């Protein structure tokens, strides 16, 4: 199972009533993306539990390493992330692996946070996956330039992970309700349009039938007039 690297900062995480305050290191890429990782395997347990749907998880394959996360924008696809950003994540996680940092090249796996699976039987910092087919893999070589650039942006914070996740969950539920209302409104409008079109077709049929009826009456009147005129001519012939 995957294990995390315990970074050399020895401060206990704060667990307050109703709060989960983990020590988290944040980094910023040249493209403006945010990367973050926990201070140690206990912090990473909190990150595993209280991630967001927009988070992408990175880890050195088959070696102990830090857990690095990439936070996407809401609605952004993993396929749209620049290759340079993925390389930053992979390089950072390699640099924070005791064994991996000594190698010239390693394999790094990554997947969406929601694909991570954690059970009570797993060791601290260990994770599995709900769908192995959604786990991607890339090779990365040692690159001090990338690590140094990211370290210059590093900041240390202690966010309330549980509160952040609950806020995002509430936002997600509101978005889902809004989408449901919009879908219901669009369906109502479409149904009304179909009903109006059906009425128009019905009125058109009635008018066509009425028009055809008027034509028949006019034709009958013309026939009657012709018959009357013929009869009048016959009477005049008789008197002459």
């Amino acid at each position: 199972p995957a294990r995390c690297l315990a970074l050399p900062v020895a401060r206990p995480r704060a667990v307050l009533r109703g709060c989960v305050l983990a020590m988290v290191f944040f980094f910023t890429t040249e493209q403006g993306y945010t990367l973050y990782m926990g201070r140690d395997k206990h912090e990473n347990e909190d990150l595993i539990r209280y991630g967001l749907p927009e988070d992408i998880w990175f880890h050195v394959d088959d070696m102990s390493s830090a857990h690095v996360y990439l936070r996407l924008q809401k609605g952004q696809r993993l396929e749209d992330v620049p290759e340079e950003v993925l390389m930053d994540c992979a390089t950072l996680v390699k640099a924070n692996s005791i064994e991996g940092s000594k190698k010239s090249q390693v394999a790094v796996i990554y997947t969406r946070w929601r694909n991570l699976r954690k059970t009570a039987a797993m060791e601290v910092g260990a994770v599995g996956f709900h769908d192995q087919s959604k786990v991607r893999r890339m090779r990365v070589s040692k690159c001090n330039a990338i690590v140094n650039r990211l370290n210059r942006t590093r900041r240390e914070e202690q966010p309330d992970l549980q509160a952040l996740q609950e806020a995002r969950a509430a936002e997600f539920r509101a978005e889902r309700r809004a989408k449901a209302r919009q879908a219901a409104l669009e369906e109502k409008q479409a149904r009304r349009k179909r009903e109006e079109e059906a009425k128009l077709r019905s009125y058109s049929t009635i008018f066509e039938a009425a028009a055809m009826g008027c034509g028949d009456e006019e034709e009958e009147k013309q026939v009657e007039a012709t018959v009357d005129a013929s009869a009048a001519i016959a009477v005049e012939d008789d008197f002459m």
Side-chain angles (χ1 to χ4, degrees), residues 117-138:
R117 181 177 61 84
K118 181 72 178 181
T119 65
M122 291 179 177
E123 297 180 13
V124 175
V127 296
F129 308 103
H130 295 290
D131 187 347
Q132 186 68 41
S133 68
K134 293 182 179 179
V135 179
R136 305 188 182 193
R137 194 171 184 269
M138 63 185 295

Side-chain angles (χ1 to χ4, degrees), residues 46-134:
D46 295 331
L47 296 182
I48 292 169
R49 182 176 182 182
Y50 295 108
L52 301 184
E54 292 78 24
D55 291 341
I56 309 299
W57 171 90
F58 290 77
H59 196 278
V60 175
D61 194 18
D62 293 329
M63 295 182 194
S64 174
S65 81
H67 294 208
V68 171
Y69 292 82
L70 164 65
R71 180 151 294 172
L72 304 183
Q73 298 297 320
K74 286 190 295 184
Q76 185 179 11
R77 302 186 310 163
L78 180 54
E79 291 76 13
D80 298 331
V81 177
E83 187 67 27
E84 296 81 4
V85 175
L86 298 178
M87 187 58 64
D88 281 2
C89 297
T91 303
L92 183 63
V93 78
K94 177 187 182 302
N96 285 275
S97 168
I98 294 176
E99 183 180 359
S101 63
K102 299 174 183 177
K103 296 182 177 297
S104 61
Q105 190 178 80
V106 298
V108 171
I109 56 176
Y110 60 103
T111 190
R112 283 191 173 274
W113 166 79
R114 60 175 176 246
N115 191 37
L116 299 180
R117 181 177 61 84
K118 181 72 178 181
T119 65
M122 291 179 177
E123 297 180 13
V124 175
V127 296
F129 308 103
H130 295 290
D131 187 347
Q132 186 68 41
S133 68
K134 293 182 179 179

Side-chain angles (χ1 to χ4, degrees), residues 193-211:
K193 183 178 179 180
R194 290 194 298 268
E195 291 173 352
E196 291 175 352
E197 290 175 348
K199 288 180 180 179
L200 289 175
R201 288 194 297 269
S202 177
Y203 292 151
S204 177
T205 302
I206 293 173
F207 290 145
E208 289 176 359

